[in-house]
Amino acid sequence: MFFTKLKRVIRAGFMSFWRNGWVSLASILVVVITLFTIGSLVFFKGGLDALVAQLKDKVDITVYFKPEAQEQDIMTIKTAVSKLSETKDVAYVDREQALESFKERNKNNALLMQSLDELGENPLGASLNIKAKEISQYESIANFLNSHMNSGASDYIDKINYFENKRVIERLSVLTDSAQRFGVIISLVLAGVAILVTFNTIRLTIYSSREEIEVMRLVGASNKFASGPFIVEGVMYGVVSAIITMIMFFPVTMWLGALTENFLSGMNVYNYYIQNFGQIFVILLIIGVLICSVSSFIAIRRYLRV
Amino acid sequence: MIYFNQVFKIYSADSVALKDINLTIESKEFVSLVGRSGAGKSTLLKILLAEEAPSKGEVFFESVNIHYMPRRKLPFLRRKIGMVFQDFRLLSGKTVFENIAFAMEASGRSTKDIEENIPYVLDLVGLTDKSHRFPHELSGGEGQRVAIARAIINRPDVVVADEPTGNLDPENTREIIRILEKINELGTTIILATHNKGVIDSLGKRVVTLEDGKIIRDDKKGKYTL
């Protein structure tokens, strides 16, 4: 009995969806716009995250050691820094590597090369390249290193560049934080507006069926049996809209791909779409189905009081 | 079978739709409710269907006080009462067949049952060849016959018809009344609200006359007199 009724409700929903083609189309269009907005926000967030990650990646602390520093001392510092909870990564650049990269950077500067040759020995010291998990954590890592400096390590540490870059790092930290916060607020506002518009559209389609719902009740349909098909229709709006939106993103991201790659250097929105296809689709599907079925449910409740 | 006991319906102090209605309708009766517009006919029927609640008094259907019924039980009451409206109220997105099937589906009848029964009622109302039409493709008389078919498909104990001929020409009116009489002969109680004098006079059955919300006359074999 339950399954017979369920089958009938689903069939009635499908039939109504199909026969009220224009109403369905209009609703789907609005839902597609909503999902497109939400999907764009997903891409926007992806782009913003990539941008922020890039900026963060450019920030580090470098500890320069004096040329005569012992590798053992350097390793002690490296191990100590690695153990800090704020540290993401420590890279050790020994003296030879430092010289190599110096030569590579200045290979066109003949004078510098010549004087380096004349010097006969490697004038450069080793260095440690430290990356923190968050930009705000550089301060504490720098303080930790500083305390080492004060307790004898200054014999072999030449300088720590954090204090030179401090202002830039702090500003970058504020910038990335506010960019992310701004992104979240914009997303919430846009998504809120889109959801309200969808809710109202679905309410209107159900409003136009209010007399039918009343008739269904009067010929003996239970609330569930009368309202079920409308919920099924809502679910279908959501599913169809999610599929259409995903298809629409294909040419749009392809077109924007190269552009975003230049702008965000590395983040290609088209690749992002392809790589995260399943995830984005599931997000849009869930949001679409939820918005539409919940809207239908809320809208229909007031017409069931017959 | 249906029993109204001192029923009042008061919307506001100067808008009293029903005053002290006492009415008993026996099984298999054909009762006409007559009265001018606003006399309270429709309100009486709405109260019987539990579309509205009485302000005072009680209404029994068989032995059940229908306004003390939990809301989720209402569909079961409504399946025992077939309803026919002046404006037909068919489901516009469904065909003739589906409109009738809807009432059966709603009461949980089997698909086999539905397929066997609908041709029978379509034949009874003379619409066998129009079962796949949509309501907007039907004439007024045909639309009302579909509504009657829908009302009787669940074999209700009572068919309530609220001005079923109000929108129809004389020929279709006669046809609809003839169908209602036939249903009554098959053993279903009929309550017909109308202000069509010709219909009442030709029926020669019980007539209950309402005026200003009160029953002013109840004749076993009545004529239309106001």
Side-chain angles (χ1 to χ4, degrees):
Chain A
M1 173 85 156
F2 173 77
F3 285 105
T4 314
K5 283 207 168 186
L6 186 69
K7 203 178 79 189
R8 287 171 178 170
V9 161
I10 293 173
R11 199 190 51 203
F14 265 84
M15 216 131 82
S16 164
F17 175 85
W18 187 247
R19 285 186 185 161
N20 300 320
W22 285 109
V23 177
S24 303
L25 186 71
S27 309
I28 285 173
L29 271 180
V30 173
V31 182
V32 163
I33 292 171
T34 301
L35 292 183
F36 195 84
T37 311
I38 293 172
S40 305
L41 293 173
V42 171
F43 286 116
F44 175 72
K45 173 139 191 349
L48 194 67
D49 286 351
L51 191 70
V52 168
Q54 254 174 51
L55 286 177
K56 281 183 178 170
D57 207 47
K58 294 215 162 92
V59 178
D60 57 14
I61 294 184
T62 309
V63 183
Y64 294 100
F65 294 91
K66 293 178 177 163
E68 63 271 23
Q70 295 299 309
E71 185 157 342
Q72 195 190 345
D73 293 329
I74 298 174
M75 283 304 141
T76 313
I77 301 256
K78 181 172 187 250
T79 317
V81 172
S82 300
K83 278 184 187 152
L84 292 178
S85 62
E86 294 94 335
T87 309
K88 187 174 138 201
D89 186 40
V90 185
Y92 171 54
V93 180
D94 66 21
R95 295 184 60 200
E96 278 64 44
Q97 283 168 334
L99 185 65
E100 284 301 309
S101 62
F102 181 82
K103 280 183 177 164
E104 181 63 29
R105 270 205 309 274
N106 299 294
K107 62 185 172 197
N108 296 326
N109 191 333
L111 189 67
L112 204 60
M113 286 294 131
Q114 203 183 349
S115 41
L116 198 62
D117 282 341
E118 271 170 27
L119 201 61
E121 60 170 316
N122 182 357
L124 299 173
S127 61
L128 280 181
N129 223 313
I130 304 161
K131 287 200 191 301
K133 285 174 188 147
E134 294 295 329
I135 292 184
S136 55
Q137 292 166 338
Y138 282 107
E139 177 96 44
S140 64
I141 294 178
N143 287 339
F144 172 79
L145 290 167
N146 220 13
S147 65
H148 261 267
M149 283 276 268
N150 296 335
S151 58
S154 56
D155 292 346
Y156 50 89
I157 290 182
D158 186 18
K159 64 171 181 183
I160 300 168
N161 77 341
Y162 172 74
F163 300 99
E164 293 153 28
N165 297 343
K166 195 174 172 203
R167 281 181 56 98
V168 179
I169 291 176
E170 276 173 354
R171 226 180 255 174
L172 205 58
S173 171
V174 172
L175 190 75
T176 54
D177 276 0
S178 41
Q180 265 163 334
R181 205 169 307 144
F182 183 70
V184 168
I185 291 173
I186 287 273
S187 305
L188 286 180
V189 170
L190 275 177
V193 170
I195 288 170
L196 276 182
V197 170
T198 309
F199 174 66
N200 261 320
T201 308
I202 291 195
R203 233 177 45 157
L204 280 179
T205 61
I206 289 186
Y207 176 78
S208 67
S209 305
R210 67 195 181 286
E211 281 178 9
E212 304 228 327
I213 298 165
E214 196 186 317
V215 173
M216 291 177 184
R217 290 281 294 152
L218 290 179
V219 300
S222 64
N223 273 349
K224 282 179 194 150
F225 195 74
S227 60
F230 291 93
I231 311 275
V232 171
E233 238 181 304
V235 169
M236 290 187 64
Y237 291 160
V239 172
V240 174
S241 305
I243 294 172
I244 294 178
T245 311
M246 279 318 275
I247 295 173
M248 275 169 65
F249 272 126
F250 181 72
V252 171
T253 52
M254 198 148 80
W255 182 59
L256 287 175
L259 193 77
T260 49
E261 193 152 24
N262 287 335
F263 180 66
L264 298 170
S265 60
M267 153 88 186
N268 182 321
V269 95
Y270 176 69
N271 294 341
Y272 188 82
Y273 166 77
I274 297 293
Q275 279 156 14
N276 298 294
F277 187 91
Q279 211 182 344
I280 298 174
F281 181 62
V282 169
I283 292 175
L284 293 185
L285 192 68
I286 291 174
I287 293 178
V289 167
L290 261 185
I291 295 178
C292 295
S293 52
V294 170
S295 304
S296 301
F297 180 75
I298 294 174
I300 205 164
R301 255 189 344 178
R302 59 156 50 190
Y303 303 119
L304 290 173
R305 295 190 191 123
V306 179
Chain B
M1 175 188 197
I2 295 170
Y3 178 51
F4 281 72
N5 184 25
Q6 298 177 335
V7 171
F8 286 77
K9 180 69 189 179
I10 302 160
Y11 290 107
S12 66
D14 42 325
S15 164
V16 180
L18 293 176
K19 285 176 210 156
D20 195 20
I21 299 291
N22 291 289
L23 179 65
T24 306
I25 295 171
E26 300 298 340
S27 180
K28 297 180 186 173
E29 256 193 302
F30 193 125
V31 182
S32 302
L33 282 178
V34 303
R36 294 194 182 87
S37 295
K41 304 186 296 280
S42 294
T43 308
L44 193 78
L45 299 182
K46 279 183 180 169
I47 286 178
L48 176 59
L49 268 176
E51 242 184 290
E52 289 194 25
S55 311
K56 222 189 313 179
E58 39 202 6
V59 181
F60 288 91
F61 186 88
E62 282 155 353
S63 57
V64 184
N65 185 337
I66 60 177
H67 296 99
Y68 279 94
M69 238 182 189
R71 282 190 61 80
R72 63 190 163 75
K73 290 263 173 79
L74 273 185
F76 297 98
L77 167 74
R78 286 170 178 166
R79 286 169 206 161
K80 289 184 184 167
I81 304 177
M83 189 73 202
V84 179
F85 307 91
Q86 179 172 5
D87 51 357
F88 320 154
R89 301 219 199 161
L90 300 173
L91 302 169
S92 60
K94 293 185 190 289
T95 64
V96 168
F97 187 95
E98 289 162 357
N99 260 285
I100 303 170
F102 181 83
M104 296 183 87
E105 288 179 351
S107 59
R109 309 270 291 270
S110 74
T111 307
K112 183 165 163 278
D113 208 5
I114 292 172
E115 280 164 1
E116 281 172 5
N117 272 284
I118 292 181
Y120 172 75
V121 281
L122 279 175
D123 184 49
L124 183 74
V125 298
L127 284 175
T128 305
D129 53 336
K130 307 222 159 146
S131 71
H132 294 292
R133 299 277 181 91
F134 284 93
H136 65 90
E137 297 169 329
L138 301 172
S139 72
E142 288 166 344
Q144 195 58 295
R145 282 186 273 159
V146 177
I148 292 176
R150 178 180 66 185
I152 61 173
I153 192 70
N154 281 330
R155 306 216 173 95
D157 301 329
V158 192
V159 168
V160 174
D162 188 4
E163 305 271 10
T165 60
N167 288 354
L168 302 179
D169 58 42
E171 196 178 324
N172 275 306
T173 299
R174 271 194 297 280
E175 179 66 13
I176 295 298
I177 298 302
R178 193 190 59 76
I179 293 171
L180 289 176
E181 282 184 290
K182 199 159 145 192
I183 296 165
N184 181 235
E185 280 162 22
L186 294 171
T188 308
T189 312
I190 305 279
I191 302 174
L192 168 69
T194 183
H195 46 218
N196 187 321
K197 185 176 184 329
V199 165
I200 303 299
D201 293 350
S202 72
L203 275 170
K205 306 226 166 167
R206 182 178 170 193
V207 177
V208 175
T209 310
L210 281 165
E211 196 175 282
D212 291 333
K214 276 193 287 203
I215 295 180
I216 56 163
R217 202 173 296 126
D218 187 348
D219 305 317
K220 274 287 161 220
K221 277 192 191 269
K223 293 264 179 193
Y224 188 92
T225 36
L226 274 177

